[in-house]
Amino acid sequence: MSTVSEIYSVLNEMAPFSLSMDFDNTGILVGNRSKVVSKVLLALDCTSEIINQAVEVGAQLIITHHPVIFHPLKRVNEDSVVYQLIRHDIAVISAHTNLDLAWGGVNDVLADSIGLKDCIGLEPIFPSENIFLGRVGSLSQPMTTPEFAQLVKQKIGAVSIKFADAKNMIQRVAVCSGSGGDCISAAISCHADALLTADVKHNQFLDAVAAGISIFDAGHFDTEDIVIEPLCKILSSKIDDVSFFTTHKSSIDAI
C-alpha cells in the first residue's frame, strides 16, 4: 500500500515543491509520512467540513491546494483544524504555488477550460527553468467583453464575474488563477487584450481600463477549484492502490 510520503513523491514529480514561492508553505504539513493510505480526499481548502467529509469516506490523507497551515500557529485547541486532523489521524499535503507554476498545473487547466490555444508563460518566476506565473493564449475567435464574461462563467462554473470593459475586442487572453491583479503589466507586455484572474482591487480595475486592457475577476475559488478533478484523474492513473475522492464545497456563499 502507498504511504503519505510516496503520494507526496508523485505530486512532487508533477509539480515540484521546490518551485514553491518564498512566502508559501507547502508539502506534508500535518501527519505521519509513513502512514499507509488507502483513500485520499482532494479539496481546494482544508476546513472542518472537509475533515468531516474525509472521515465519512474513510480517508487517511487530504490533498489541498491552499496550505492548511499558512501563518504561524499560536494555539491548537478543539476548534483548530490542525487539532481535528491530529485527532482523526488524517495527514495533509498542500500543493500551492508549486501547482500554480507547474506546467499542467492550475493555470494550464484554467487556460484549457476557456479554450485558449498556443499558450505561453505570462510572468517569469524562474526564467532559467522555464517557469512562469500565469499563461497567455488565444481564443479561436474574438469576442466582446460581455461575451467573454459569459464564456468564462459557463466554462469554469463561476458564481459571478466582475469585469472592467476597455471596449476592445478580446482574443489574446492572459490568465492567472487566484490573486493576479498585479499581473496587469505582464499581460500588457504580452499584448493581451484581457486578463482573467481574481481578487482584483478597485484601482486595478481602473488601471487596466486606462491601459486599454479589459480585466475579469472570476473569484479566487472558481479560478482554482477547477484543478481538483484533473489532479484527481492524474493521481488515480499513477497510484492504483489508492481510491481518490474530490469535494468542491466553498466556504463562501453569494446571492
Side-chain angles (χ1 to χ4, degrees):
M1 297 291 288
S2 295
T3 64
V4 171
S5 182
E6 289 168 344
I7 295 171
Y8 168 89
S9 295
V10 174
L11 279 166
N12 191 52
E13 291 175 3
M14 299 165 48
F17 286 90
S18 60
L19 297 180
S20 301
M21 300 175 84
D22 291 343
F23 66 84
D24 207 1
N25 188 32
T26 62
I28 303 172
L29 302 186
V30 178
N32 185 347
R33 294 173 178 269
S34 300
K35 184 176 180 62
V36 172
V37 176
S38 62
K39 295 181 180 179
V40 175
L41 180 65
L42 284 80
L44 196 72
D45 302 285
C46 186
T47 63
S48 294
E49 184 174 1
I50 300 301
I51 294 171
N52 289 337
Q53 290 183 41
V55 172
E56 288 177 7
V57 301
Q60 299 88 14
L61 171 65
I62 299 172
I63 296 175
T64 67
H65 180 48
H66 293 142
V68 64
I69 301 172
F70 193 69
H71 301 292
L73 295 175
K74 294 185 177 181
R75 59 182 61 85
V76 179
N77 53 30
E78 70 276 8
D79 299 321
S80 164
V81 167
V82 174
Y83 176 92
Q84 295 170 43
L85 289 164
I86 295 171
R87 177 172 173 265
H88 290 290
D89 195 17
I90 298 174
V92 175
I93 300 174
S94 298
H96 191 211
T97 50
N98 57 312
L99 192 59
D100 288 326
L101 296 174
W103 292 101
V106 186
N107 281 291
D108 285 308
V109 174
L110 179 58
D112 289 344
S113 296
I114 62 171
L116 296 186
K117 304 298 182 183
D118 303 319
C119 289
I120 60 172
L122 173 59
E123 185 170 341
I125 301 297
F126 303 112
S128 62
E129 301 177 42
N130 192 33
I131 299 299
F132 294 80
L133 177 64
R135 302 288 183 262
V136 183
S138 297
L139 298 167
S140 59
Q141 59 185 24
M143 55 184 63
T144 65
T145 297
E147 288 172 340
F148 181 67
Q150 288 293 336
L151 172 75
V152 172
K153 187 174 183 179
Q154 175 190 357
K155 293 296 186 180
I156 71 171
V159 173
S160 64
I161 305 285
K162 295 189 293 183
F163 61 88
D165 189 353
K167 306 301 181 184
N168 57 339
M169 294 299 290
I170 295 171
Q171 186 162 23
R172 187 164 174 79
V173 178
V175 301
C176 181
S177 60
S179 303
D182 291 335
C183 291
I184 294 172
S185 295
I188 293 170
S189 297
C190 290
H191 307 290
D193 305 309
L195 170 63
L196 169 62
T197 185
D199 297 345
V200 179
K201 298 177 182 178
H202 179 76
N203 66 290
Q204 291 170 333
F205 280 112
L206 302 182
D207 291 344
V209 171
I213 182 172
S214 295
I215 188 167
F216 299 78
D217 185 331
H220 198 118
F221 183 89
D222 291 325
T223 59
E224 294 188 329
D225 185 63
I226 53 171
V227 78
I228 297 301
E229 291 299 331
L231 181 59
C232 181
K233 290 180 180 178
I234 294 171
L235 290 173
S236 296
S237 69
K238 292 178 177 291
I239 308 172
D240 57 13
D241 62 350
V242 174
S243 297
F244 291 89
F245 303 84
T246 61
T247 181
H248 302 279
K249 174 62 179 174
S250 172
S251 298
I252 301 170
D253 293 316
I255 58 172

Tab-separated table of all heavy atoms in Angstrom, residues 118-181:
chain	number	residue	atom	x	y	z
A	118	ASP	N	-2.270	27.656	-27.989
A	118	ASP	CA	-0.898	28.141	-28.168
A	118	ASP	C	-0.420	28.964	-26.976
A	118	ASP	O	0.115	30.069	-27.119
A	118	ASP	CB	-0.796	28.982	-29.451
A	118	ASP	CG	-1.237	28.210	-30.682
A	118	ASP	OD1	-0.886	27.022	-30.779
A	118	ASP	OD2	-1.933	28.791	-31.539
A	119	CYS	N	-0.610	28.418	-25.782
A	119	CYS	CA	-0.291	29.161	-24.561
A	119	CYS	C	1.213	29.221	-24.293
A	119	CYS	O	1.954	28.263	-24.561
A	119	CYS	CB	-0.990	28.529	-23.364
A	119	CYS	SG	-2.772	28.789	-23.358
A	120	ILE	N	1.623	30.348	-23.750
A	120	ILE	CA	2.994	30.541	-23.280
A	120	ILE	C	2.919	31.081	-21.857
A	120	ILE	O	1.840	31.422	-21.357
A	120	ILE	CB	3.775	31.519	-24.184
A	120	ILE	CG1	3.084	32.896	-24.203
A	120	ILE	CG2	3.908	30.968	-25.601
A	120	ILE	CD1	3.886	33.978	-24.921
A	121	GLY	N	4.071	31.174	-21.185
A	121	GLY	CA	4.101	31.717	-19.839
A	121	GLY	C	3.837	33.207	-19.817
A	121	GLY	O	4.170	33.920	-20.770
A	122	LEU	N	3.228	33.673	-18.717
A	122	LEU	CA	2.881	35.090	-18.603
A	122	LEU	C	4.000	35.890	-17.945
A	122	LEU	O	4.609	36.755	-18.567
A	122	LEU	CB	1.577	35.240	-17.812
A	122	LEU	CG	1.142	36.666	-17.439
A	122	LEU	CD1	0.951	37.527	-18.683
A	122	LEU	CD2	-0.140	36.626	-16.598
A	123	GLU	N	4.285	35.597	-16.686
A	123	GLU	CA	5.272	36.374	-15.933
A	123	GLU	C	6.382	35.455	-15.437
A	123	GLU	O	6.126	34.532	-14.663
A	123	GLU	CB	4.598	37.070	-14.745
A	123	GLU	CG	5.519	37.995	-13.977
A	123	GLU	CD	4.792	38.852	-12.956
A	123	GLU	OE1	3.565	39.005	-13.069
A	123	GLU	OE2	5.468	39.382	-12.053
A	124	PRO	N	7.619	35.675	-15.864
A	124	PRO	CA	8.711	34.769	-15.475
A	124	PRO	C	8.988	34.806	-13.979
A	124	PRO	O	9.112	35.875	-13.384
A	124	PRO	CB	9.905	35.288	-16.283
A	124	PRO	CG	9.569	36.717	-16.603
A	124	PRO	CD	8.081	36.779	-16.734
A	125	ILE	N	9.060	33.616	-13.383
A	125	ILE	CA	9.414	33.492	-11.973
A	125	ILE	C	10.789	32.847	-11.846
A	125	ILE	O	11.664	33.333	-11.144
A	125	ILE	CB	8.364	32.644	-11.220
A	125	ILE	CG1	6.977	33.286	-11.344
A	125	ILE	CG2	8.760	32.492	-9.746
A	125	ILE	CD1	6.851	34.656	-10.728
A	126	PHE	N	10.980	31.724	-12.538
A	126	PHE	CA	12.292	31.080	-12.647
A	126	PHE	C	12.581	30.940	-14.141
A	126	PHE	O	12.461	29.846	-14.705
A	126	PHE	CB	12.280	29.707	-11.976
A	126	PHE	CG	11.881	29.735	-10.521
A	126	PHE	CD1	10.682	29.169	-10.101
A	126	PHE	CD2	12.689	30.323	-9.571
A	126	PHE	CE1	10.301	29.186	-8.775
A	126	PHE	CE2	12.326	30.351	-8.237
A	126	PHE	CZ	11.128	29.784	-7.834
A	127	PRO	N	12.956	32.044	-14.814
A	127	PRO	CA	13.095	32.018	-16.281
A	127	PRO	C	14.100	30.995	-16.790
A	127	PRO	O	13.906	30.412	-17.861
A	127	PRO	CB	13.532	33.454	-16.623
A	127	PRO	CG	14.014	34.045	-15.340
A	127	PRO	CD	13.244	33.374	-14.251
A	128	SER	N	15.155	30.730	-16.030
A	128	SER	CA	16.152	29.767	-16.479
A	128	SER	C	15.587	28.348	-16.511
A	128	SER	O	16.115	27.476	-17.205
A	128	SER	CB	17.386	29.811	-15.562
A	128	SER	OG	17.036	29.453	-14.230
A	129	GLU	N	14.497	28.123	-15.743
A	129	GLU	CA	13.856	26.809	-15.695
A	129	GLU	C	12.541	26.789	-16.469
A	129	GLU	O	11.771	25.834	-16.374
A	129	GLU	CB	13.612	26.404	-14.242
A	129	GLU	CG	14.871	26.325	-13.398
A	129	GLU	CD	14.572	25.996	-11.954
A	129	GLU	OE1	13.722	25.124	-11.706
A	129	GLU	OE2	15.182	26.622	-11.068
A	130	ASN	N	12.267	27.872	-17.211
A	130	ASN	CA	11.035	27.977	-17.999
A	130	ASN	C	9.792	27.880	-17.112
A	130	ASN	O	8.808	27.224	-17.455
A	130	ASN	CB	10.993	26.900	-19.086
A	130	ASN	CG	9.899	27.149	-20.112
A	130	ASN	OD1	9.568	28.300	-20.428
A	130	ASN	ND2	9.316	26.085	-20.633
A	131	ILE	N	9.842	28.548	-15.959
A	131	ILE	CA	8.733	28.543	-15.017
A	131	ILE	C	8.124	29.945	-14.958
A	131	ILE	O	8.828	30.926	-14.702
A	131	ILE	CB	9.196	28.106	-13.610
A	131	ILE	CG1	9.751	26.686	-13.658
A	131	ILE	CG2	8.053	28.206	-12.614
A	131	ILE	CD1	8.769	25.634	-14.104
A	132	PHE	N	6.801	29.997	-15.178
A	132	PHE	CA	6.094	31.272	-15.255
A	132	PHE	C	4.847	31.255	-14.377
A	132	PHE	O	4.229	30.209	-14.181
A	132	PHE	CB	5.657	31.557	-16.694
A	132	PHE	CG	6.782	31.788	-17.657
A	132	PHE	CD1	7.481	30.719	-18.204
A	132	PHE	CD2	7.134	33.070	-18.022
A	132	PHE	CE1	8.513	30.918	-19.098
A	132	PHE	CE2	8.173	33.289	-18.922
A	132	PHE	CZ	8.858	32.215	-19.460
A	133	LEU	N	4.497	32.431	-13.889
A	133	LEU	CA	3.211	32.628	-13.230
A	133	LEU	C	2.207	33.036	-14.295
A	133	LEU	O	2.412	34.012	-15.020
A	133	LEU	CB	3.305	33.734	-12.177
A	133	LEU	CG	2.002	34.085	-11.448
A	133	LEU	CD1	1.508	32.903	-10.628
A	133	LEU	CD2	2.203	35.310	-10.557
A	134	GLY	N	1.125	32.276	-14.433
A	134	GLY	CA	0.103	32.601	-15.410
A	134	GLY	C	0.434	32.113	-16.806
A	134	GLY	O	1.544	31.631	-17.083
A	135	ARG	N	-0.546	32.238	-17.691
A	135	ARG	CA	-0.408	31.816	-19.079
A	135	ARG	C	-1.036	32.864	-19.993
A	135	ARG	O	-1.918	33.630	-19.575
A	135	ARG	CB	-1.096	30.469	-19.318
A	135	ARG	CG	-0.581	29.337	-18.431
A	135	ARG	CD	0.802	28.888	-18.834
A	135	ARG	NE	1.258	27.747	-18.023
A	135	ARG	CZ	2.063	27.846	-16.969
A	135	ARG	NH1	2.474	29.034	-16.566
A	135	ARG	NH2	2.448	26.773	-16.297
A	136	VAL	N	-0.623	32.867	-21.253
A	136	VAL	CA	-1.209	33.728	-22.279
A	136	VAL	C	-1.482	32.873	-23.505
A	136	VAL	O	-0.611	32.120	-23.951
A	136	VAL	CB	-0.279	34.890	-22.673
A	136	VAL	CG1	-0.971	35.804	-23.683
A	136	VAL	CG2	0.149	35.680	-21.460
A	137	GLY	N	-2.699	32.982	-24.035
A	137	GLY	CA	-3.053	32.232	-25.232
A	137	GLY	C	-4.147	32.935	-25.998
A	137	GLY	O	-4.556	34.048	-25.634
A	138	SER	N	-4.643	32.294	-27.031
A	138	SER	CA	-5.625	32.939	-27.899
A	138	SER	C	-6.915	32.139	-28.003
A	138	SER	O	-6.892	30.902	-28.058
A	138	SER	CB	-5.039	33.124	-29.306
A	138	SER	OG	-3.921	33.979	-29.268
A	139	LEU	N	-8.025	32.863	-28.046
A	139	LEU	CA	-9.322	32.265	-28.324
A	139	LEU	C	-9.434	31.978	-29.818
A	139	LEU	O	-8.733	32.602	-30.630
A	139	LEU	CB	-10.440	33.220	-27.906
A	139	LEU	CG	-10.522	33.582	-26.421
A	139	LEU	CD1	-11.460	34.779	-26.219
A	139	LEU	CD2	-10.995	32.394	-25.593
A	140	SER	N	-10.319	31.073	-30.185
A	140	SER	CA	-10.466	30.722	-31.596
A	140	SER	C	-11.021	31.874	-32.415
A	140	SER	O	-10.767	31.981	-33.612
A	140	SER	CB	-11.375	29.501	-31.746
A	140	SER	OG	-12.654	29.753	-31.183
A	141	GLN	N	-11.781	32.759	-31.756
A	141	GLN	CA	-12.309	33.933	-32.448
A	141	GLN	C	-12.485	35.070	-31.453
A	141	GLN	O	-12.698	34.834	-30.257
A	141	GLN	CB	-13.648	33.616	-33.116
A	141	GLN	CG	-14.730	33.145	-32.167
A	141	GLN	CD	-15.986	32.727	-32.911
A	141	GLN	OE1	-15.955	32.367	-34.080
A	141	GLN	NE2	-17.115	32.786	-32.217
A	142	PRO	N	-12.403	36.305	-31.919
A	142	PRO	CA	-12.552	37.448	-30.997
A	142	PRO	C	-13.983	37.585	-30.513
A	142	PRO	O	-14.932	37.151	-31.180
A	142	PRO	CB	-12.134	38.645	-31.861
A	142	PRO	CG	-12.367	38.208	-33.270
A	142	PRO	CD	-12.098	36.732	-33.295
A	143	MET	N	-14.133	38.175	-29.339
A	143	MET	CA	-15.473	38.411	-28.789
A	143	MET	C	-15.464	39.674	-27.948
A	143	MET	O	-14.397	40.172	-27.565
A	143	MET	CB	-15.944	37.212	-27.955
A	143	MET	CG	-15.031	36.781	-26.830
A	143	MET	SD	-15.629	35.276	-25.982
A	143	MET	CE	-15.554	34.073	-27.299
A	144	THR	N	-16.646	40.166	-27.650
A	144	THR	CA	-16.758	41.358	-26.825
A	144	THR	C	-16.505	41.002	-25.362
A	144	THR	O	-16.520	39.822	-24.976
A	144	THR	CB	-18.153	41.988	-26.944
A	144	THR	OG1	-19.120	41.078	-26.400
A	144	THR	CG2	-18.487	42.298	-28.401
A	145	THR	N	-16.329	42.028	-24.548
A	145	THR	CA	-16.101	41.807	-23.120
A	145	THR	C	-17.272	41.074	-22.458
A	145	THR	O	-17.052	40.095	-21.738
A	145	THR	CB	-15.819	43.145	-22.408
A	145	THR	OG1	-14.615	43.698	-22.959
A	145	THR	CG2	-15.651	42.968	-20.918
A	146	PRO	N	-18.531	41.489	-22.666
A	146	PRO	CA	-19.642	40.738	-22.066
A	146	PRO	C	-19.721	39.296	-22.570
A	146	PRO	O	-20.052	38.391	-21.800
A	146	PRO	CB	-20.883	41.546	-22.484
A	146	PRO	CG	-20.375	42.931	-22.709
A	146	PRO	CD	-19.008	42.741	-23.299
A	147	GLU	N	-19.422	39.074	-23.843
A	147	GLU	CA	-19.433	37.708	-24.379
A	147	GLU	C	-18.373	36.849	-23.707
A	147	GLU	O	-18.620	35.677	-23.366
A	147	GLU	CB	-19.205	37.739	-25.896
A	147	GLU	CG	-20.384	38.259	-26.690
A	147	GLU	CD	-20.054	38.460	-28.159
A	147	GLU	OE1	-18.849	38.569	-28.503
A	147	GLU	OE2	-21.003	38.515	-28.972
A	148	PHE	N	-17.197	37.431	-23.494
A	148	PHE	CA	-16.127	36.678	-22.847
A	148	PHE	C	-16.481	36.392	-21.390
A	148	PHE	O	-16.206	35.305	-20.880
A	148	PHE	CB	-14.809	37.444	-22.932
A	148	PHE	CG	-13.647	36.717	-22.316
A	148	PHE	CD1	-13.161	35.542	-22.879
A	148	PHE	CD2	-13.043	37.205	-21.164
A	148	PHE	CE1	-12.098	34.864	-22.304
A	148	PHE	CE2	-11.978	36.543	-20.586
A	148	PHE	CZ	-11.505	35.364	-21.156
A	149	ALA	N	-17.099	37.359	-20.720
A	149	ALA	CA	-17.517	37.149	-19.333
A	149	ALA	C	-18.492	35.973	-19.235
A	149	ALA	O	-18.389	35.130	-18.331
A	149	ALA	CB	-18.148	38.421	-18.774
A	150	GLN	N	-19.430	35.892	-20.164
A	150	GLN	CA	-20.391	34.788	-20.181
A	150	GLN	C	-19.694	33.458	-20.463
A	150	GLN	O	-20.029	32.428	-19.877
A	150	GLN	CB	-21.474	35.052	-21.224
A	150	GLN	CG	-22.463	36.150	-20.843
A	150	GLN	CD	-23.326	35.752	-19.648
A	150	GLN	OE1	-23.540	34.581	-19.357
A	150	GLN	NE2	-23.833	36.747	-18.935
A	151	LEU	N	-18.720	33.483	-21.366
A	151	LEU	CA	-17.962	32.273	-21.678
A	151	LEU	C	-17.250	31.749	-20.442
A	151	LEU	O	-17.322	30.551	-20.121
A	151	LEU	CB	-16.946	32.567	-22.782
A	151	LEU	CG	-15.955	31.428	-23.082
A	151	LEU	CD1	-16.639	30.313	-23.861
A	151	LEU	CD2	-14.738	31.951	-23.847
A	152	VAL	N	-16.550	32.635	-19.736
A	152	VAL	CA	-15.806	32.235	-18.539
A	152	VAL	C	-16.756	31.689	-17.481
A	152	VAL	O	-16.494	30.629	-16.882
A	152	VAL	CB	-15.008	33.429	-17.974
A	152	VAL	CG1	-14.402	33.074	-16.618
A	152	VAL	CG2	-13.915	33.852	-18.950
A	153	LYS	N	-17.849	32.394	-17.259
A	153	LYS	CA	-18.803	31.952	-16.240
A	153	LYS	C	-19.317	30.551	-16.529
A	153	LYS	O	-19.438	29.705	-15.629
A	153	LYS	CB	-19.973	32.937	-16.156
A	153	LYS	CG	-20.931	32.640	-15.015
A	153	LYS	CD	-21.983	33.730	-14.877
A	153	LYS	CE	-22.879	33.449	-13.669
A	153	LYS	NZ	-23.914	34.504	-13.493
A	154	GLN	N	-19.597	30.283	-17.800
A	154	GLN	CA	-20.110	28.969	-18.195
A	154	GLN	C	-19.043	27.893	-18.099
A	154	GLN	O	-19.279	26.809	-17.550
A	154	GLN	CB	-20.645	29.026	-19.626
A	154	GLN	CG	-21.083	27.674	-20.175
A	154	GLN	CD	-21.374	27.719	-21.665
A	154	GLN	OE1	-21.298	28.769	-22.305
A	154	GLN	NE2	-21.698	26.576	-22.228
A	155	LYS	N	-17.840	28.182	-18.589
A	155	LYS	CA	-16.810	27.151	-18.695
A	155	LYS	C	-16.230	26.734	-17.349
A	155	LYS	O	-15.888	25.567	-17.159
A	155	LYS	CB	-15.684	27.625	-19.621
A	155	LYS	CG	-16.092	27.792	-21.079
A	155	LYS	CD	-16.504	26.460	-21.699
A	155	LYS	CE	-16.781	26.599	-23.188
A	155	LYS	NZ	-17.188	25.297	-23.803
A	156	ILE	N	-16.087	27.677	-16.408
A	156	ILE	CA	-15.487	27.307	-15.124
A	156	ILE	C	-16.535	27.227	-14.010
A	156	ILE	O	-16.196	26.914	-12.864
A	156	ILE	CB	-14.341	28.252	-14.718
A	156	ILE	CG1	-14.867	29.631	-14.315
A	156	ILE	CG2	-13.315	28.373	-15.833
A	156	ILE	CD1	-13.788	30.516	-13.690
A	157	GLY	N	-17.801	27.503	-14.360
A	157	GLY	CA	-18.860	27.416	-13.361
A	157	GLY	C	-18.745	28.479	-12.291
A	157	GLY	O	-19.075	28.230	-11.122
A	158	ALA	N	-18.294	29.667	-12.661
A	158	ALA	CA	-18.106	30.748	-11.691
A	158	ALA	C	-19.437	31.234	-11.139
A	158	ALA	O	-20.427	31.320	-11.865
A	158	ALA	CB	-17.348	31.904	-12.334
A	159	VAL	N	-19.443	31.552	-9.861
A	159	VAL	CA	-20.646	32.096	-9.227
A	159	VAL	C	-20.993	33.444	-9.846
A	159	VAL	O	-22.161	33.751	-10.103
A	159	VAL	CB	-20.432	32.239	-7.702
A	159	VAL	CG1	-21.621	32.957	-7.058
A	159	VAL	CG2	-20.230	30.873	-7.063
A	160	SER	N	-19.986	34.252	-10.087
A	160	SER	CA	-20.197	35.567	-10.693
A	160	SER	C	-18.898	36.025	-11.346
A	160	SER	O	-17.819	35.498	-11.047
A	160	SER	CB	-20.633	36.593	-9.643
A	160	SER	OG	-19.607	36.787	-8.678
A	161	ILE	N	-19.027	36.996	-12.234
A	161	ILE	CA	-17.868	37.593	-12.903
A	161	ILE	C	-17.961	39.104	-12.753
A	161	ILE	O	-18.968	39.719	-13.109
A	161	ILE	CB	-17.829	37.267	-14.415
A	161	ILE	CG1	-17.893	35.756	-14.658
A	161	ILE	CG2	-16.573	37.874	-15.041
A	161	ILE	CD1	-16.642	35.005	-14.363
A	162	LYS	N	-16.929	39.710	-12.210
A	162	LYS	CA	-16.816	41.170	-12.214
A	162	LYS	C	-15.808	41.549	-13.298
A	162	LYS	O	-14.789	40.865	-13.461
A	162	LYS	CB	-16.342	41.682	-10.853
A	162	LYS	CG	-17.324	41.444	-9.715
A	162	LYS	CD	-16.893	42.166	-8.452
A	162	LYS	CE	-15.624	41.586	-7.886
A	162	LYS	NZ	-15.237	42.244	-6.608
A	163	PHE	N	-16.093	42.608	-14.031
A	163	PHE	CA	-15.150	42.991	-15.086
A	163	PHE	C	-15.183	44.482	-15.346
A	163	PHE	O	-16.156	45.170	-15.020
A	163	PHE	CB	-15.424	42.216	-16.379
A	163	PHE	CG	-16.790	42.434	-16.987
A	163	PHE	CD1	-17.011	43.478	-17.878
A	163	PHE	CD2	-17.846	41.589	-16.670
A	163	PHE	CE1	-18.253	43.673	-18.455
A	163	PHE	CE2	-19.096	41.775	-17.232
A	163	PHE	CZ	-19.310	42.819	-18.129
A	164	ALA	N	-14.099	44.960	-15.913
A	164	ALA	CA	-13.999	46.337	-16.382
A	164	ALA	C	-13.701	46.277	-17.870
A	164	ALA	O	-12.744	45.624	-18.296
A	164	ALA	CB	-12.912	47.101	-15.641
A	165	ASP	N	-14.522	46.924	-18.665
A	165	ASP	CA	-14.508	46.819	-20.119
A	165	ASP	C	-13.695	47.942	-20.743
A	165	ASP	O	-14.044	49.119	-20.618
A	165	ASP	CB	-15.956	46.859	-20.626
A	165	ASP	CG	-16.080	46.544	-22.104
A	165	ASP	OD1	-15.045	46.427	-22.779
A	165	ASP	OD2	-17.224	46.403	-22.571
A	166	ALA	N	-12.603	47.565	-21.402
A	166	ALA	CA	-11.787	48.556	-22.102
A	166	ALA	C	-12.320	48.845	-23.503
A	166	ALA	O	-11.671	49.544	-24.285
A	166	ALA	CB	-10.341	48.081	-22.185
A	167	LYS	N	-13.509	48.273	-23.812
A	167	LYS	CA	-14.179	48.486	-25.104
A	167	LYS	C	-13.335	47.967	-26.271
A	167	LYS	O	-13.355	48.530	-27.361
A	167	LYS	CB	-14.504	49.976	-25.313
A	167	LYS	CG	-15.288	50.623	-24.193
A	167	LYS	CD	-16.636	49.938	-23.965
A	167	LYS	CE	-17.421	50.632	-22.851
A	167	LYS	NZ	-18.691	49.932	-22.536
A	168	ASN	N	-12.613	46.885	-26.015
A	168	ASN	CA	-11.805	46.277	-27.064
A	168	ASN	C	-12.325	44.871	-27.358
A	168	ASN	O	-12.988	44.251	-26.530
A	168	ASN	CB	-10.331	46.201	-26.632
A	168	ASN	CG	-10.149	45.439	-25.323
A	168	ASN	OD1	-11.072	45.285	-24.534
A	168	ASN	ND2	-8.944	44.964	-25.088
A	169	MET	N	-12.054	44.384	-28.537
A	169	MET	CA	-12.376	43.000	-28.844
A	169	MET	C	-11.322	42.105	-28.191
A	169	MET	O	-10.136	42.446	-28.160
A	169	MET	CB	-12.418	42.773	-30.349
A	169	MET	CG	-13.548	43.534	-31.045
A	169	MET	SD	-15.199	43.033	-30.447
A	169	MET	CE	-15.309	41.365	-31.130
A	170	ILE	N	-11.784	40.978	-27.675
A	170	ILE	CA	-10.897	40.111	-26.902
A	170	ILE	C	-10.610	38.828	-27.674
A	170	ILE	O	-11.527	38.099	-28.050
A	170	ILE	CB	-11.531	39.773	-25.537
A	170	ILE	CG1	-11.648	41.044	-24.699
A	170	ILE	CG2	-10.711	38.706	-24.809
A	170	ILE	CD1	-12.438	40.862	-23.430
A	171	GLN	N	-9.328	38.571	-27.906
A	171	GLN	CA	-8.907	37.293	-28.488
A	171	GLN	C	-7.667	36.746	-27.783
A	171	GLN	O	-7.633	35.571	-27.428
A	171	GLN	CB	-8.637	37.417	-29.987
A	171	GLN	CG	-8.339	36.054	-30.628
A	171	GLN	CD	-8.504	36.065	-32.122
A	171	GLN	OE1	-8.424	37.100	-32.789
A	171	GLN	NE2	-8.754	34.888	-32.699
A	172	ARG	N	-6.687	37.595	-27.572
A	172	ARG	CA	-5.495	37.164	-26.833
A	172	ARG	C	-5.731	37.426	-25.344
A	172	ARG	O	-5.987	38.561	-24.931
A	172	ARG	CB	-4.260	37.902	-27.336
A	172	ARG	CG	-2.947	37.380	-26.740
A	172	ARG	CD	-1.764	37.862	-27.547
A	172	ARG	NE	-0.478	37.501	-26.940
A	172	ARG	CZ	0.073	36.298	-27.025
A	172	ARG	NH1	-0.539	35.330	-27.670
A	172	ARG	NH2	1.250	36.052	-26.460
A	173	VAL	N	-5.637	36.355	-24.535
A	173	VAL	CA	-6.045	36.441	-23.129
A	173	VAL	C	-4.928	35.963	-22.212
A	173	VAL	O	-4.313	34.913	-22.448
A	173	VAL	CB	-7.310	35.592	-22.868
A	173	VAL	CG1	-7.700	35.653	-21.392
A	173	VAL	CG2	-8.460	36.067	-23.749
A	174	ALA	N	-4.671	36.720	-21.159
A	174	ALA	CA	-3.762	36.306	-20.092
A	174	ALA	C	-4.598	35.790	-18.931
A	174	ALA	O	-5.656	36.350	-18.618
A	174	ALA	CB	-2.901	37.484	-19.636
A	175	VAL	N	-4.146	34.713	-18.308
A	175	VAL	CA	-4.852	34.171	-17.142
A	175	VAL	C	-3.866	33.995	-15.997
A	175	VAL	O	-2.702	33.646	-16.196
A	175	VAL	CB	-5.539	32.818	-17.445
A	175	VAL	CG1	-6.541	32.953	-18.571
A	175	VAL	CG2	-4.529	31.727	-17.768
A	176	CYS	N	-4.359	34.257	-14.784
A	176	CYS	CA	-3.590	33.990	-13.572
A	176	CYS	C	-4.582	33.568	-12.503
A	176	CYS	O	-5.382	34.390	-12.034
A	176	CYS	CB	-2.794	35.214	-13.123
A	176	CYS	SG	-1.811	34.896	-11.632
A	177	SER	N	-4.566	32.304	-12.137
A	177	SER	CA	-5.512	31.803	-11.146
A	177	SER	C	-5.267	32.461	-9.797
A	177	SER	O	-4.148	32.847	-9.461
A	177	SER	CB	-5.362	30.285	-11.018
A	177	SER	OG	-4.045	29.958	-10.612
A	178	GLY	N	-6.366	32.590	-9.019
A	178	GLY	CA	-6.231	33.205	-7.707
A	178	GLY	C	-5.976	34.699	-7.809
A	178	GLY	O	-6.526	35.377	-8.670
A	179	SER	N	-5.136	35.219	-6.934
A	179	SER	CA	-4.904	36.670	-6.849
A	179	SER	C	-3.870	37.111	-7.867
A	179	SER	O	-2.666	36.991	-7.630
A	179	SER	CB	-4.433	37.042	-5.435
A	179	SER	OG	-5.365	36.629	-4.467
A	180	GLY	N	-4.347	37.651	-9.002
A	180	GLY	CA	-3.415	38.014	-10.073
A	180	GLY	C	-3.571	39.418	-10.587
A	180	GLY	O	-3.147	39.721	-11.709
A	181	GLY	N	-4.146	40.300	-9.770
A	181	GLY	CA	-4.313	41.680	-10.205
A	181	GLY	C	-2.996	42.382	-10.505
A	181	GLY	O	-2.950	43.331	-11.298
